[in-house]
Amino acid sequence: MKYEALSNEEIKHELTVEKKRYDVILKEKLSLDMSRGKPAAEQLDLSMPLLSVLSENTKFPKGPDYRNYGLSDGIPELKQLFGELFGVPSEYVYVGGNSSLNLMYDMISDSMLTGVLSATPWCKLEKKVKFICPVPGYDRHFNICEKLGIEMISVPMNEFGPDMDVVEDLVSSDPMIKGIWCVPRFSNPSGAVYSAEVVSRLAKMKVAASDFRIYYDNSYFVHTLSDDAPELVNIFDIAREAGTEDRIYMFSSTSKITFAGGGVAVVIASPKNIASIKEKMGWKTIGFNKIWQYAHYLYLESVDKIKSIMRAQAEKIRPKFEIVLGALEKNFGDSDLVNWNAPKGGYFICLKCPNGTAKRIWSLCKKAGLTITPAGASHPLHIDDSDSYLRIAPTYPSCEDLSKATDVLMTVIKIAVLEQLAK
Ligand SMILES: Cc1ncc(COP(=O)(O)O)c(C=O)c1O
């Protein structure tokens, strides 16, 4: 239906119909959750063989004993494997614990307390440190900035990455801008894959702060849903040539390859940065869990095996994206009032509803027993001035629950859109 073309009478009529539908939904007392990008149990089941790759008969490689302290930057086999996956030498890889978000937080708080390489710690600077935050973006990135007192500058996130004209302008003129958040492949939540031009401009742009870093969160690097998903160019290749590779901290983990919160996380960075990360991490831990790192190595084996695991994951996820995208197309395909992305990978669908409706949609969902990510979460300090962005995470519920949840969502969006038109 082309909602914007309805007459006042038709708007009233449609609103009555949808509200009746909503009343029926309320009586069902549903409890559905499409709020967080969590894998479903059937995806986690795929990784159960990981649990049996080790036994009391396991022969660990010769050399340093993985059962003991040591090798604080990770076991060589996994450094090699992640190096191959991300197209860098293994000296660029630091293998940590179970969470990449944890590594991001640690590295930013280290910069705050003790400084990046030889730079002044940010907490000793007279002015507040600032980060560039492409919006819509990942709420937990913005949360780190908020909690550590970093000022966030919102920059529009376009189809192929952040608006680089704005980014270049800002970072070249303000030495207090010390970082930019990036999710370069299948962004959370917009699903964007950064173009070669955007990656190249990020690597080559002039920065006023010598301790500026790109926080390049490559969590969804191998999480493709279709074979024609756009590739991401290797930022390190470009940066090495431009002499800027120290500005990149790349993060990733196997949270959505093996077990969420039960995988292994990595930082990819220049050898100079890795030495500093290793030193600072060494103040906090004597080392991460190398037994689990080795189990991951035995299970993941090779880049080809990782890709085949991800194809199996995609088989489970794809039908869920199809449910939500199909419903959006069916209900709002004719209207320009509701827009969304059809991602080729990652975990999210980003909805752009009419201005002033996102909070209303969220609260109508909540009342109907459907939890979605709160409106505003994709913006710094949870403030989306347009009140229009919503993040939909289809992976966690079963297909049956997801179909129900999607029905509820469609009804609720229609109500909010029609109420807006009726004003
Ligand atoms: C963009 C992004 N980065 C990081 C994470 C968390 O990763 P980890 O489990 O490695 O901490 C998520 C989880 O949803 C995410 O979407």
Side-chain angles (χ1 to χ4, degrees), residues 99-101 104 138 183 188 217 219-220 253 255-256:
S99 160
S100 61
L101 188 72
M104 295 173 221
Y138 179 38
V183 183
N188 177 350
D217 179 352
S219 282
Y220 299 106
S253 79
S255 274
K256 285 157 189 173

Side-chain angles (χ1 to χ4, degrees), residues 2-40:
K2 196 157 179 69
Y3 288 92
E4 53 274 50
L6 296 179
S7 67
N8 286 347
E9 270 315 292
E10 287 166 328
I11 291 170
K12 243 194 222 161
H13 170 74
E14 288 300 323
L15 195 51
T16 312
V17 171
E18 294 308 326
K19 282 192 167 164
K20 271 195 189 138
R21 194 166 286 155
Y22 185 69
D23 286 341
V24 174
I25 293 169
L26 286 182
K27 291 200 182 99
E28 290 183 55
K29 303 224 174 303
L30 300 170
S31 174
L32 301 163
D33 190 348
M34 54 199 313
S35 64
R36 301 249 38 125
K38 293 200 292 190

